[in-house]
Amino acid sequence: MLSHLSLFLSFSLSFSFSLSLSLSLSLSLSHTHTHTHIHTNPFREGVRELQGVGRSQNSMALTALYLLTLFSSVLKYGHMEVRQKAVVVLKPNWTKLFRGDTVSLRCTVPGEPSTDWEYIWYKNEEELNPYKLWSESNEYKNVGPVEDTDSAEYACLGMRKVDSVFSEISDAVVLTVSERPKAVILQRPDWLQIFSGETVTFRCDIPGELLTEWRYRWRKDGQKVKSDAAGETNIYRITAADQSHSGKYTCTGLRKSDFKFSLASDSVTLTVRERPRAVAILSPKDMEIFSGEAVLLRCHIEDGEAEEEWRYTWYKRGYVGHSQIGEERELSLSPASEGDSGDYTCRGTRKTDSQHSQTSPAVRLAVSALPKVSVSVKPGSPIFIGETVVLECGAASRSDWSYTWFKGSPQTGALPADRSSKRGDSLTISGATETDEDEYWCQGERVNSNTSSLMSDPVYLTVSDLPTSSLTAEPQNPVFSGEVVTLTCAIESHNDWEYRWYKGSSQSPVAQSDRYSRDGNSLVIRGAAESDQDHYWCQGEKDTRPTSSHISTYVYLSVTALPSATLTLQPPSPIFSGEIVTFTCAIQYLRDWTYKWYRRSSKDTVSQSARYSRTGNTLTIRGAAVSDEDQYWCQGERDTRPMVSQISHNVTLSVLEFKPKPRLTSNRSEQVYTGSSVTLTCEVDPSGATGWTFYWYRDSQNSDPVALTDTNAYTINFVKMSDEAPYFCNAGRGSPIYFTHYSNASWIKVTERPKAFVTLLSNWTRIFSGETISLQCDIQGTTDADWDYIWYKNGYLNNPVNHEKEYRVTLVYGHRGDEYACIGRRRSELTYSEMSEPYSVSVFERPLAELSVPAQIWMHEGDSVTLRCEVTGSTEGWRFHWYRVDSAVKQTLVYSNGDSYTLVPVAVRHTGLYMCRAERGEPPYYTKNSKLQPVWVMGLSPPASVIVRPNRTQHFIYKSLSMSCETQGIPAGWRLRWFTDRGELTECPAGWRSVVGSTCTIVHPHTSDSGVYWCQSEAGLRSNPINVTFHDTEVILESPAHPVTEGDPLTLQCRYRKTPAKAEADIYKDGAPLQPTITGELTILAASKAHEGRYRCRHADRGESPDSWVTVRPRDTPTHTHLVVWLVVGLFVSLALVILLATLLYRYRGLFLQVGLFGWGRHSTNQQTRDDQNRPEGEKSGFVPWHRGGARSGPSDVVYTDIELKEMRRKWYKVKERPPGGQLPPPTHGHKVSMLI
């Protein structure tokens, strides 16, 4: 059995080495293909590389390695062959293209089926579609519609699908793209119209092209011209053209070399017409022509011929041989005479070819002598002013004449434009005046012509004035109401007049009535009233001429009412018993009045007595008594007009028996605050009694008045504490003064004004942008029910005005130092408190919740973890909410209220990203969300694992890799998820291309693709996460992507972007160098917790790799037990052989551990303690930070690799032979032995 195992191991090593070589060559070719042209066979390159490596070894090892490589390669490729050269095939096979053409380029490998190959295309030696995957066929390359940028050299390269063998690159095919030329057509002659029988020639040119390289196609109205008429030359000639040749002509070029057409030319329109006919036109047309008028004869060539193309000839019949009389298109006879009468014809001759038009039909011209007109007048003289006069200009009946009138002189006369109107052959003068008296002439003028008739003989018009009328009125103004007025109208000349009377603006005569009577030339108005006041005039009328007189002058009749008497009483009613009363009667108009006094209870006038005295216009009653109560009035009398005045209105005298006592009140029923105002009101009953002067007293009625007012109110402004006292009042009027009793006392109680103060209702003082706060205004020593409140911001009244006790305001960041103040206003008395001290509010930017996690964010199932959330700079009143971010759009609330969130025990399902935020107040005010914080939980038996190919933690940028989800009997639906230090949570990262549902592949990764990756199912199950990083460095450290189980081998290797000349490199653990290696590779046969730490690789020329953290976890005991049981049951028959083999393995294992494989076998407990002491603080506590892209040093820069539990398998490891002397030589490729563990 051992011999079989050895044979299997040898074959496996050979196959593995061959497979590794193939994978290495494939990756090398993939990288080379992305950046350079490939012109070499990958197999040959691989062998050449192996030969270079083998030079440093002994010949026997090199020979074995070469034979093994050759054997693996023959197994892979099957045979050795010479590379074929790819060929580019054009369809159509043209290299000169016009813009907009389409061409197909096909890549073929001669003698090979096209379906077995994939292709790469190059343009100007640069690869097209460099990111295109090999799995997509690219046999055809379609170009079009082509543009100028498509002009280039094109080549292709083939790769056989089965073995990735490349062909040689094809020869380049050069494509040239140019603008498609457009044909240009020319016509000779280029006339718009051609007469029948003439010759026309067309020429077609292709700008910038040689004539001999093209054939030409001619079309008329879109139809191809027959070949016998046009052929394929660029000249097309039409002889003896007729109307059938009319149409639109175009031409197109066809290049002889590749049968490509040019663009069609713009069309040229050819019009062939019959010989035109000349027409003679007389202007003016259809009118009688008089001697001296202008006549124009115009020759017109029909059918739209251009005037400039012709010469013209005129003929007049009646002369010998039809003599020629003109050569212009228009023949002008100005002025025409009777001798120009006759028949006229014309003919045209084209200037270009001297062809004649047809001669026009004759046009007859007749010229007559000028006529003479005469004037008649209606009515006959004399004409009176105001009459209408009609003058007529007589002539032979002609409808095409207008007439001009002259006054005073045939050269300078003018007509009154405002009163004259012309209609046809007549002139009408309306309302003739003396200015119309003069001589008048007329003259006819032909419409639309400058021809005038002979002037008429003059007619003299005589105009006489109308008789005048005059109007007088008796009596003269002013007329008083009730008087009789007589108006008289007089006309000096003529007799038999009838008279018309007019009033105001009315054009109708005054009608007869009871008050208006007409008698001859008089109008009598009886009982004049104010309605008769107006302007009056008169006019005479008769049946014979003159039919009316002039209107008389205006007479204004002014009717004035009788002067009014006004009665006043002092003092006004009511009157108190014992007062002196005075009546005054006033008449404002005129003088010399005497006055009469009347009382309702007596029809006679009031008589003089001891108590009643009359002086001038006053009546005085002394010691008024109740018996004097009555209504009184007065009236004035005089000797001349007007004799009396109007009676005054009634005045009622009311007398009261008692002496009044005023009532004193205050507008402040309660206490008065200092600085406010108080108004005292002194009310005297009855309230109708007026004319009082009010006297105000303080402290006692016997004191001197502190104030006298004409009104019953007394106001104390800006009350002071010293104003507190009792106040009294009384009133007096008349002369001597009549006083009332003293009023009651009214106390004014003064209190110091209260002060408002502002308080913040919330329990916190640090306010953030967007937060709503409540401020409260309180008045010291008062109740809230009696107050309104006014708020001020920064010294200005807040808008909108808020009268509530509580003021809510939402603040915005940037308003630092805003000050709020308030003042109270008492509702009952409109009294104000003192202004509060300003309350200053500073607003801070909306806070960010800060989520803190323990140092160990990579956990194992069963551990506990506590997350804490706080708001920087503020601790009061916050409530906290905890969320788990499941995707870029999904967040799950997991806990509320506390500032900490504990997961115990943690499970794989708790893996994810967590964030928090805080809220406080009503309505709730939220902080900004905290940054995302990951919590990674490692499970013992996760349902899925992340598989990364190649299987390592660190990768070069721009080197392709793929990740997939490997499940253990779980249904489909797993997706790869990732998270970076930028806080990005997504599925297959942007820029990656998903090949299968749970697999993501990237061709050109970048440092930003570094992050933590895990698998997640639709049901929420998760795999253990792993950390994958991408680096833009020259060297990286290859370490396993998953954690290593105790007892399993651990291999670390330096990898380079480009293979260095010297492979020797140092590997460091926790900052300390390990034993140098020649190949940069280190293998630990049985990993233990002592091997856990931070590793990095350092090359003398290429620099250092980033750090990579390697974790070693204990072996799963149940799994080992299960494996042993399976081995016991499976090998029960060979139990003795198994025991012997196990003993042998144990001895070899002990041997390696005793000699200290790679210098590590002597690690003791003390050494492990020292290693732990040298480890950074975070690592001692179990903290394994996850990678933040591109960092080089420090705990936060360590790259963490997950641990994945696997069943134990038999594995073969290559270990170094121990040379004589017990010392291990540096590791090499050649000195290795195989041992079964």
Side-chain angles (χ1 to χ4, degrees):
M1 179 177 294
L2 288 175
S3 61
H4 292 304
L5 290 174
S6 300
L7 179 60
F8 175 78
L9 177 59
S10 300
F11 179 78
S12 300
L13 287 173
S14 300
F15 179 77
S16 300
F17 187 83
S18 176
L19 183 60
S20 300
L21 176 60
S22 300
L23 179 59
S24 176
L25 291 176
S26 299
L27 291 175
S28 177
L29 287 174
S30 175
H31 177 72
T32 306
H33 155 64
T34 304
H35 298 282
T36 62
H37 298 293
I38 300 177
H39 298 288
T40 57
N41 187 289
F43 174 77
R44 295 178 181 176
E45 294 297 326
V47 173
R48 188 177 297 113
E49 181 179 348
L50 288 174
Q51 291 173 349
V53 175
R55 291 190 186 100
S56 62
Q57 313 298 330
N58 59 65
S59 58
M60 181 177 295
L62 177 62
T63 303
L65 178 61
Y66 182 80
L67 291 176
L68 180 59
T69 303
L70 180 61
F71 174 72
S72 300
S73 301
V74 171
L75 288 178
K76 179 179 180 182
Y77 293 99
H79 62 279
M80 303 297 290
E81 62 178 354
V82 177
R83 289 193 297 168
Q84 296 292 333
K85 186 173 185 178
V87 177
V88 177
V89 180
L90 288 176
K91 185 177 181 181
N93 190 19
W94 299 330
T95 58
K96 291 185 177 181
L97 304 174
F98 290 143
R99 189 180 299 164
D101 287 347
T102 300
V103 65
S104 176
L105 292 82
R106 180 184 179 191
C107 188
T108 62
V109 179
E112 295 288 340
S114 61
T115 57
D116 294 344
W117 291 78
E118 295 178 349
Y119 305 89
I120 306 172
W121 285 95
Y122 298 88
K123 177 182 178 182
N124 290 337
E125 299 184 358
E126 292 185 4
E127 181 181 344
L128 290 174
N129 303 325
Y131 304 105
K132 194 173 186 67
L133 294 182
W134 286 101
S135 60
E136 298 186 13
S137 177
N138 201 14
E139 176 184 359
Y140 289 92
K141 174 61 181 178
N142 295 320
V143 181
V146 298
E147 297 292 340
D148 293 341
T149 56
D150 295 318
S151 295
E153 294 183 356
Y154 292 83
C156 70
L157 177 69
M159 184 188 79
R160 194 157 50 202
K161 298 179 181 177
V162 296
D163 51 12
S164 300
V165 171
F166 287 89
S167 70
E168 289 189 11
I169 193 166
S170 68
D171 293 331
V173 173
V174 180
L175 297 184
T176 303
V177 181
S178 61
E179 183 71 35
R180 188 182 300 272
K182 183 175 182 179
V184 178
I185 188 171
L186 301 175
Q187 174 189 333
R188 289 291 182 272
D190 55 353
W191 305 329
L192 296 178
Q193 294 181 355
I194 304 297
F195 292 155
S196 298
E198 293 183 328
T199 298
V200 181
T201 301
F202 294 101
R203 175 177 174 177
C204 187
D205 291 329
I206 308 296
E209 299 288 336
L210 294 177
L211 178 65
T212 57
E213 292 183 353
W214 294 79
R215 295 188 183 95
Y216 300 89
R217 299 289 187 268
W218 295 91
R219 290 184 179 273
K220 170 178 172 276
D221 296 331
Q223 301 297 323
K224 187 175 180 182
V225 178
K226 295 181 179 179
S227 58
D228 57 352
E232 293 186 349
T233 65
N234 70 326
I235 301 297
Y236 175 41
R237 183 175 289 105
I238 302 173
T239 59
D242 57 29
Q243 293 186 1
S244 65
H245 291 103
S246 297
K248 293 183 178 180
Y249 288 81
T250 58
C251 70
T252 307
L254 175 64
R255 192 159 60 190
K256 298 176 182 179
S257 61
D258 54 7
F259 302 101
K260 287 188 176 292
F261 284 96
S262 70
L263 297 176
S265 68
D266 296 332
S267 61
V268 172
T269 302
L270 176 64
T271 304
V272 182
R273 308 186 66 176
E274 293 297 333
R275 188 173 302 279
R277 177 173 173 265
V279 177
I281 301 173
L282 175 63
S283 179
K285 184 180 179 183
D286 299 331
M287 289 178 59
E288 184 179 2
I289 306 300
F290 291 97
S291 181
E293 291 185 318
V295 178
L296 181 65
L297 292 165
R298 183 167 55 89
C299 190
H300 172 66
I301 306 300
E302 293 183 337
D303 300 332
E305 286 293 327
E307 299 176 1
E308 297 78 6
E309 300 291 336
W310 298 87
R311 293 191 303 271
Y312 302 89
T313 307
W314 286 94
Y315 303 93
K316 179 180 178 184
R317 293 183 181 275
Y319 291 86
V320 178
H322 306 285
S323 300
Q324 177 178 336
I325 60 172
E327 293 185 352
E328 298 296 331
R329 183 169 184 261
E330 294 180 349
L331 178 62
S332 177
L333 302 176
S334 179
S337 63
E338 296 181 43
D340 293 325
S341 300
D343 294 331
Y344 292 83
T345 58
C346 71
R347 184 179 69 176
T349 302
R350 194 155 62 180
K351 297 177 181 179
T352 56
D353 53 11
S354 300
Q355 294 193 34
H356 298 292
S357 69
Q358 300 180 36
T359 302
S360 70
V363 175
R364 172 156 294 186
L365 174 63
V367 182
S368 304
L370 292 174
K372 184 175 181 180
V373 295
S374 60
V375 179
S376 61
V377 181
K378 293 180 181 179
S381 294
I383 302 299
F384 290 98
I385 293 177
E387 290 184 322
T388 299
V389 182
V390 178
L391 291 82
E392 292 183 354
C393 189
S397 177
R398 302 180 189 275
S399 60
D400 57 345
W401 288 80
S402 63
Y403 298 90
T404 302
W405 293 89
F406 301 91
K407 173 187 175 186
S409 171
Q411 289 79 28
T412 59
L415 296 176
D418 56 339
R419 293 180 293 104
S420 62
S421 62
K422 295 186 291 182
R423 183 176 181 182
D425 59 351
S426 64
L427 171 66
T428 301
I429 301 176
S430 301
T433 64
E434 292 180 353
T435 59
D436 297 324
E437 184 173 310
D438 214 328
E439 288 185 328
Y440 289 83
W441 293 264
C442 73
Q443 186 178 30
E445 295 178 351
R446 195 168 189 183
V447 178
N448 298 326
S449 174
N450 293 327
T451 303
S452 300
S453 69
L454 298 176
M455 184 71 68
S456 70
D457 295 329
V459 172
Y460 191 84
L461 185 63
T462 301
V463 180
S464 301
D465 195 6
L466 291 173
T468 60
S469 58
S470 61
L471 178 64
T472 57
E474 184 65 31
Q476 295 181 352
N477 286 327
V479 176
F480 294 97
S481 298
E483 292 183 324
V484 177
V485 180
T486 301
L487 300 174
T488 303
C489 186
I491 301 177
E492 296 179 353
S493 63
H494 299 84
N495 298 318
D496 304 329
W497 292 102
E498 292 183 359
Y499 297 90
R500 298 285 185 268
W501 304 89
Y502 300 90
K503 174 186 176 184
S505 59
S506 176
Q507 298 300 318
S508 300
V510 176
Q512 189 90 0
S513 67
D514 294 340
R515 296 178 55 244
Y516 288 81
S517 60
R518 294 178 298 181
D519 184 9
N521 63 340
S522 297
L523 173 65
V524 178
I525 303 175
R526 291 181 173 81
E530 291 185 4
S531 60
D532 298 321
Q533 181 171 291
D534 214 328
H535 288 88
Y536 292 83
W537 70 93
C538 67
Q539 185 179 27
E541 294 181 353
K542 56 197 300 282
D543 296 333
T544 59
R545 297 178 61 230
T547 57
S548 64
S549 69
H550 277 301
I551 296 174
S552 71
T553 56
Y554 292 98
V555 171
Y556 184 77
L557 181 62
S558 176
V559 180
T560 304
L562 291 174
S564 60
T566 303
L567 181 62
T568 58
L569 173 64
Q570 195 61 243
S573 284
I575 302 299
F576 296 96
S577 180
E579 283 191 285
I580 297 175
V581 180
T582 300
F583 290 98
T584 302
C585 187
I587 301 175
Q588 301 296 330
Y589 185 66
L590 300 176
R591 298 179 180 179
D592 302 330
W593 293 98
T594 59
Y595 298 90
K596 290 187 175 181
W597 303 90
Y598 298 91
R599 181 176 177 182
R600 173 167 297 193
S601 61
S602 173
K603 296 181 180 179
D604 297 332
T605 58
V606 177
S607 301
Q608 186 89 1
S609 66
R611 294 180 54 244
Y612 287 79
S613 61
R614 295 182 300 179
T615 304
N617 63 338
T618 62
L619 172 64
T620 301
I621 303 176
R622 301 182 183 278
V626 176
S627 60
D628 296 323
E629 285 190 350
D630 210 334
Q631 289 185 346
Y632 293 80
W633 63 90
C634 67
Q635 186 179 27
E637 295 180 349
R638 61 195 301 267
D639 296 333
T640 58
R641 297 178 55 239
M643 305 295 291
V644 294
S645 72
Q646 297 183 44
I647 297 175
S648 71
H649 61 278
N650 296 333
V651 173
T652 300
L653 176 63
S654 298
V655 181
L656 301 177
E657 292 183 338
F658 62 89
K659 187 175 185 178
K661 180 178 180 179
R663 182 168 57 90
L664 182 60
T665 59
S666 172
N667 66 334
R668 297 296 178 89
S669 57
E670 299 178 359
Q671 59 186 1
V672 179
Y673 293 122
T674 56
S676 60
S677 62
V678 179
T679 298
L680 302 175
T681 303
C682 188
E683 298 179 356
V684 178
D685 290 331
S687 59
T690 59
W692 298 102
T693 297
F694 294 87
Y695 299 82
W696 304 91
Y697 306 90
R698 174 181 170 177
D699 294 328
S700 69
Q701 299 174 352
N702 298 325
S703 63
D704 293 332
V706 295
L708 278 74
T709 61
D710 292 331
T711 63
N712 66 338
Y714 171 52
T715 299
I716 303 175
N717 295 310
F718 304 106
V719 173
K720 305 181 295 297
M721 293 297 297
S722 59
D723 291 324
E724 181 173 316
Y727 288 81
F728 305 87
C729 74
N730 68 350
R733 67 181 182 182
S735 180
I737 300 175
Y738 175 83
F739 286 100
T740 65
H741 291 292
Y742 288 98
S743 71
N744 58 295
S746 178
W747 273 87
I748 295 179
K749 298 179 180 180
V750 183
T751 305
E752 289 290 345
R753 181 189 303 272
K755 185 173 183 178
F757 61 93
V758 177
T759 55
L760 179 65
L761 295 183
S762 61
N763 295 327
W764 50 87
T765 58
R766 189 177 180 87
I767 309 301
F768 298 101
S769 176
E771 192 170 8
T772 300
I773 63 171
S774 295
L775 301 175
Q776 180 172 297
C777 186
D778 293 297
I779 310 299
Q780 296 175 345
T782 63
T783 59
D784 296 334
D786 196 28
W787 292 87
D788 287 331
Y789 303 88
I790 302 173
W791 290 89
Y792 293 83
K793 179 181 178 181
N794 296 329
Y796 295 95
L797 183 65
N798 193 52
N799 189 19
V801 178
N802 181 15
H803 294 294
E804 299 299 327
K805 179 181 182 67
E806 183 178 336
Y807 176 54
R808 296 173 64 86
V809 58
T810 300
L811 303 173
V812 180
Y813 177 67
H815 289 263
R816 294 183 177 272
D818 284 347
E819 293 184 342
Y820 295 86
C822 70
I823 190 173
R825 185 180 66 183
R826 201 169 185 179
R827 297 172 185 170
S828 59
E829 300 178 355
L830 296 181
T831 302
Y832 292 90
S833 70
E834 288 189 23
M835 180 78 72
S836 69
E837 296 295 332
Y839 187 90
S840 180
V841 178
S842 295
V843 184
F844 299 88
E845 187 177 4
R846 181 183 293 270
L848 173 69
E850 293 187 0
L851 175 60
S852 59
V853 298
Q856 176 68 19
I857 64 172
W858 294 82
M859 314 248 172
H860 297 282
E861 283 189 322
D863 294 344
S864 65
V865 60
T866 299
L867 310 180
R868 298 191 179 278
C869 190
E870 64 179 357
V871 180
T872 303
S874 177
T875 59
E876 304 95 341
W878 295 106
R879 300 182 297 276
F880 295 88
H881 303 282
W882 297 85
Y883 300 87
R884 186 176 66 207
V885 181
D886 297 321
S887 67
V889 296
K890 182 180 179 182
Q891 301 174 359
T892 303
L893 178 65
V894 295
Y895 181 65
S896 292
N897 197 24
D899 62 349
S900 63
Y901 175 46
T902 302
L903 297 173
V904 56
V906 296
V908 175
R909 71 175 184 274
H910 295 136
T911 292
L913 306 171
Y914 290 83
M915 72 176 186
C916 68
R917 70 172 179 176
E919 72 164 58
R920 70 181 181 186
E922 289 297 336
Y925 173 78
Y926 295 95
T927 66
K928 298 179 182 177
N929 294 337
S930 70
K931 295 182 179 179
L932 298 179
Q933 289 290 350
V935 173
W936 312 119
V937 181
M938 312 295 296
L940 296 178
S941 298
S945 298
V946 181
I947 304 301
V948 56
R949 297 180 180 86
N951 182 21
R952 59 176 181 260
T953 297
Q954 296 182 4
H955 300 265
F956 289 115
I957 62 173
Y958 306 128
K959 290 288 188 178
S960 63
L961 82 157
S962 66
M963 296 186 191
S964 60
C965 295
E966 183 180 275
T967 61
Q968 300 179 5
I970 305 300
W974 290 85
R975 291 291 184 270
L976 186 69
R977 306 293 293 276
W978 80 319
F979 177 76
T980 68
D981 58 342
R982 297 181 313 225
E984 182 178 7
L985 177 66
T986 179
E987 294 185 358
C988 196
W992 294 42
R993 186 166 62 84
S994 180
V995 178
V996 184
S998 61
T999 300
C1000 290
T1001 302
I1002 185 171
V1003 179
H1004 300 286
H1006 199 263
T1007 55
S1008 60
D1009 294 310
S1010 300
V1012 178
Y1013 292 79
W1014 72 95
C1015 293
Q1016 183 171 324
S1017 69
E1018 296 176 353
L1021 299 177
R1022 293 176 172 83
S1023 71
N1024 288 337
I1026 66 171
N1027 204 15
V1028 177
T1029 60
F1030 299 92
H1031 304 279
D1032 186 12
T1033 59
E1034 293 298 322
V1035 58
I1036 61 174
L1037 178 65
E1038 179 178 310
S1039 61
H1042 294 274
V1044 181
T1045 305
E1046 280 187 326
D1048 288 349
L1050 170 63
T1051 298
L1052 304 173
Q1053 182 177 358
C1054 297
R1055 280 197 171 271
Y1056 308 97
R1057 187 182 298 276
K1058 294 181 180 179
T1059 304
K1062 294 181 180 180
E1064 183 177 356
D1066 297 329
I1067 295 179
Y1068 289 76
K1069 177 180 182 292
D1070 298 330
L1074 301 177
Q1075 182 175 353
T1077 64
I1078 296 177
T1079 61
E1081 181 177 348
L1082 175 65
T1083 300
I1084 302 173
L1085 293 180
S1088 65
K1089 290 295 288 185
H1091 299 129
E1092 188 175 79
R1094 183 190 301 111
Y1095 292 85
R1096 74 173 184 269
C1097 175
R1098 183 180 183 278
H1099 190 273
D1101 298 329
R1102 300 303 170 88
E1104 294 185 352
S1105 71
D1107 289 344
S1108 180
W1109 181 270
V1110 176
T1111 300
V1112 181
R1113 65 181 180 183
R1115 182 175 297 278
D1116 187 8
T1117 302
T1119 302
H1120 292 287
T1121 303
H1122 174 75
L1123 180 60
V1124 172
V1125 173
W1126 182 84
L1127 291 173
V1128 171
V1129 175
L1131 302 178
F1132 181 79
V1133 179
S1134 306
L1135 178 60
L1137 184 59
V1138 170
I1139 294 173
L1140 180 61
L1141 178 62
T1143 304
L1144 181 62
L1145 293 177
Y1146 180 78
R1147 290 179 179 177
Y1148 275 109
R1149 181 174 181 271
L1151 177 61
F1152 285 125
L1153 293 176
Q1154 290 173 6
V1155 300
L1157 183 60
F1158 298 119
W1160 288 17
R1162 292 183 297 274
H1163 284 189
S1164 63
T1165 304
N1166 294 334
Q1167 176 66 33
Q1168 182 175 355
T1169 303
R1170 287 194 300 272
D1171 291 342
D1172 188 62
Q1173 292 174 353
N1174 294 330
R1175 185 175 302 171
E1177 184 67 27
E1179 299 175 14
K1180 294 178 184 179
S1181 61
F1183 171 66
V1184 184
W1186 60 292
H1187 174 69
R1188 295 188 176 267
R1192 293 300 185 99
S1193 62
S1196 62
D1197 302 326
V1198 177
V1199 179
Y1200 182 83
T1201 305
D1202 274 342
I1203 302 175
E1204 182 180 3
L1205 296 177
K1206 297 286 187 179
E1207 291 188 0
M1208 184 174 182
R1209 296 288 187 269
R1210 290 186 177 184
K1211 298 183 179 179
W1212 288 91
Y1213 295 88
K1214 298 176 182 179
V1215 299
K1216 301 177 177 63
E1217 293 181 293
R1218 179 179 298 276
Q1223 296 296 325
L1224 289 175
T1228 64
H1229 285 289
H1231 294 78
K1232 295 183 180 179
V1233 298
S1234 299
M1235 178 173 290
L1236 176 66
I1237 298 179

